Amino acid sequence: MSTKSRPQHVPDQVADQDATRLAAGSHPDGFSAENQGAAEPVFPNRHVAVAGGGLLLAGVALAAANMRPAVTSLASVLGEVRDSLGASTTWASVVTSVPTLCFGIAGIGAPLLARRMGINKVIGASLAVLTLAMLLRVVDGPWTVLGGTVLVCAAIAMCNVLIPVVVKESFPTRVGMATALYTTAMAAGGSTGSALTPYLNSTTGSWRLSLATWAVVALAALCVWVPATARRSSTRQVSGTASTSPRRSLMRSPLAWVITVYFALQSLVAYVVMGWMPEVFKGAGIDSTTAGMLLGLLLLIGVPINMILPPLVTRTRSQSWWAVGLAVLTLTGLLGLLLAPQALPVVWALAIGIGMSAFPLALVLISLRTANAADTGSLSAMSQSVGYLIASFGPFLFGVLHDVTGTWSASLTAIVVIVAIQAVFGVIAGRPRTI
């Protein structure tokens, strides 16, 4: 492991460098056109846009807007769904664990499907599956809801992995703008799903209808995505190639494991919050509609934070204090919920929402702690696949602890401990060095 610090690059500067390389006939991952014969594409090249237009940008935004509502909408009425179906808290714990489990598996499966079908076709098929699955999961009992949620999250996971590749390849000179739109749409979709679903539930008197409503958004994304990508193809490779020479494994790198654990813990906390926080608020005596609104506020505050945090982080030599500061905010909100949930629920929600910006920090660390594109790709795959699989246990155990104890105190205490551990790993991961 190298202990040398490396220059910190502002994302826009990286985007400019990528654009320059593209104009010169080379790839953003550092492989020149002359080396194409020595590289095997991780993703197929026949269905990736070279230069994105307005319709494709709209398709990206709409697809991103579908990556959270299917999860947060169910979370906001989970108690009503469970009671209506006569299901247990353990069943609810399994349902809330599905997203992270699917994201971990998709880290392996998405590239394999993309090689066979092409990125654009996989995303289009995923949006179609998402539309049908959101309708399917509300037609019957608890096992249908669970099976439909698995399909929903598997489809979201495919988009989650592949759309950032489309962003980088289709908008090489506007990576910052496209990424900002992508992340903003994703956060806005999640907050809207949690805030609006309880209102729809109370208005229609049916949690099935309120959840099925979000299939319309997925269908809209599909209707835009198909024509936006129908005529787009490229003879270039997609970012992320695998050299025929053996690529060094990061499994023996302590720093790689530190970053993976940090990614896993922040993901665990995030999906516990998205899956269970409305129930925690309701357990504190807050009505269902307000609880959903609080989750929406919690997620919405992340929109501006996620847009400004990465450029600020890359301008500092060490990112350790960023990790500590975000963890302290999360701890403040969690301890507030544990000790005085009804005193300042809006403040607790805002603190947790800002603290959950550990996610973009984790993504920045993947880039800053690697010295070349090959290692960045390897570390990204390792941290996201392993990290999400580890994180999938969090929502399940959070619900099981409530089932066993009958209160949310033990569950919240466990998450407080996890956030404290996350801060420690963040301090280590934030030190300026490369793998």
Side-chain angles (χ1 to χ4, degrees), residues 323-395:
V324 171
L326 293 173
V328 167
L329 284 167
T330 305
L331 288 172
T332 300
L334 291 172
L335 290 172
L337 283 175
L338 181 62
L339 302 175
Q342 288 188 319
L344 297 168
V346 173
V347 174
W348 310 147
L350 289 173
I352 294 172
I354 297 173
M356 281 172 57
S357 294
F359 173 66
L361 174 61
L363 295 181
V364 170
L365 288 174
I366 291 172
S367 177
L368 295 182
R369 296 289 87 86
T370 49
N372 54 65
D375 284 350
T376 302
S378 296
L379 182 57
S380 178
M382 174 180 172
S383 60
Q384 294 199 48
S385 58
V386 176
Y388 277 130
L389 288 174
I390 293 173
S392 66
F393 291 98

Side-chain angles (χ1 to χ4, degrees), residues 269 272-273 277 280 327-341 348-349 351-352 398 411-420:
V269 173
V272 163
V273 169
M277 210 44 55
V280 174
V328 167
L329 284 167
T330 305
L331 288 172
T332 300
L334 291 172
L335 290 172
L337 283 175
L338 181 62
L339 302 175
W348 310 147
I352 294 172
F398 189 86
S411 300
L412 287 171
T413 301
I415 296 300
V416 166
V417 173
I418 288 172
V419 173

Side-chain angles (χ1 to χ4, degrees), residues 181-206:
L181 178 64
Y182 164 78
T183 55
T184 300
M186 185 165 58
S191 60
T192 303
S194 62
L196 189 58
T197 303
Y199 172 77
L200 292 173
N201 183 41
S202 62
T203 301
T204 63
S206 169

Side-chain angles (χ1 to χ4, degrees), residues 48-63 120 123 163 166-167 169-171 174 181 224-230 232:
V48 181
V50 180
L55 188 61
L56 180 59
L57 194 61
V60 167
L62 282 171
N120 292 340
I123 294 174
I163 286 181
V166 175
V167 168
E169 292 297 316
S170 301
F171 305 97
R174 296 180 291 169
L181 178 64
V224 174
W225 186 264
V226 171
T229 59
R232 296 182 180 276

Side-chain angles (χ1 to χ4, degrees), residues 60-73 156 160 163 178-196 214 217 270-271 273-274 292-308 353-354 356-357 359-360 363:
V60 167
L62 282 171
N66 280 279
M67 290 189 190
R68 294 295 180 265
V71 177
T72 59
S73 62
I156 293 172
N160 205 34
I163 286 181
T179 301
L181 178 64
Y182 164 78
T183 55
T184 300
M186 185 165 58
S191 60
T192 303
S194 62
L196 189 58
W214 296 103
V217 182
Y271 281 92
V273 169
M274 286 191 287
M293 294 291 289
L294 286 171
L295 178 60
L297 176 65
L298 183 155
L299 297 173
L300 188 61
I301 190 62
V303 174
I305 302 298
N306 290 357
M307 291 181 67
I308 65 175
I354 297 173
M356 281 172 57
S357 294
F359 173 66
L363 295 181

Side-chain angles (χ1 to χ4, degrees), residues 41-258:
V42 172
F43 299 106
N45 54 39
R46 62 187 182 276
H47 296 298
V48 181
V50 180
L55 188 61
L56 180 59
L57 194 61
V60 167
L62 282 171
N66 280 279
M67 290 189 190
R68 294 295 180 265
V71 177
T72 59
S73 62
L74 179 58
S76 65
V77 293
L78 187 59
E80 289 84 346
V81 174
R82 183 189 61 208
D83 295 341
S84 172
L85 299 176
S88 66
T89 304
T90 301
W91 171 87
S93 301
V94 174
V95 170
T96 57
S97 299
V98 164
T100 47
L101 185 61
C102 288
F103 291 165
I105 295 172
I108 301 171
L112 299 178
L113 281 177
R115 286 193 192 102
R116 292 179 177 273
M117 297 174 58
I119 294 178
N120 292 340
K121 283 188 176 180
V122 173
I123 294 174
S126 298
L127 291 172
V129 170
L130 177 61
T131 302
L132 294 175
M134 282 200 284
L135 296 173
L136 173 67
R137 70 173 177 174
V138 301
V139 300
D140 203 359
W143 291 109
T144 301
V145 174
L146 178 59
T149 301
V150 170
L151 288 177
V152 162
C153 293
I156 293 172
M158 291 292 167
C159 295
N160 205 34
V161 171
L162 297 178
I163 286 181
V165 180
V166 175
V167 168
K168 183 172 182 179
E169 292 297 316
S170 301
F171 305 97
T173 61
R174 296 180 291 169
V175 172
M177 178 274 294
T179 301
L181 178 64
Y182 164 78
T183 55
T184 300
M186 185 165 58
S191 60
T192 303
S194 62
L196 189 58
T197 303
Y199 172 77
L200 292 173
N201 183 41
S202 62
T203 301
T204 63
S206 169
W207 61 264
R208 297 181 190 273
L209 184 57
S210 62
L211 291 179
T213 300
W214 296 103
V216 176
V217 182
L219 180 61
L222 177 62
C223 290
V224 174
W225 186 264
V226 171
T229 59
R231 297 182 180 180
R232 296 182 180 276
S233 62
S234 173
T235 57
R236 285 191 298 115
Q237 287 178 307
V238 181
S239 295
T241 58
S243 173
T244 54
S245 60
R247 177 180 292 181
R248 73 186 183 107
S249 172
L250 299 183
M251 300 298 286
R252 295 184 179 180
S253 168
L255 179 55
W257 278 108
V258 167

Side-chain angles (χ1 to χ4, degrees), residues 2-11 13-14 255 259 309-320 322 360-373 375-377 379-380 426 428-435:
S2 172
T3 58
K4 294 172 64 179
S5 62
R6 57 189 293 264
Q8 309 302 311
H9 297 287
V10 179
Q13 293 173 336
V14 175
L255 179 55
I259 294 172
L309 183 67
L312 293 176
V313 167
T314 57
R315 288 183 171 91
T316 59
R317 185 171 181 271
S318 171
Q319 290 73 44
S320 297
W322 288 102
L361 174 61
L363 295 181
V364 170
L365 288 174
I366 291 172
S367 177
L368 295 182
R369 296 289 87 86
T370 49
N372 54 65
D375 284 350
T376 302
L379 182 57
S380 178
I428 301 171
R431 295 171 182 167
R433 64 204 189 283
T434 57
I435 291 172

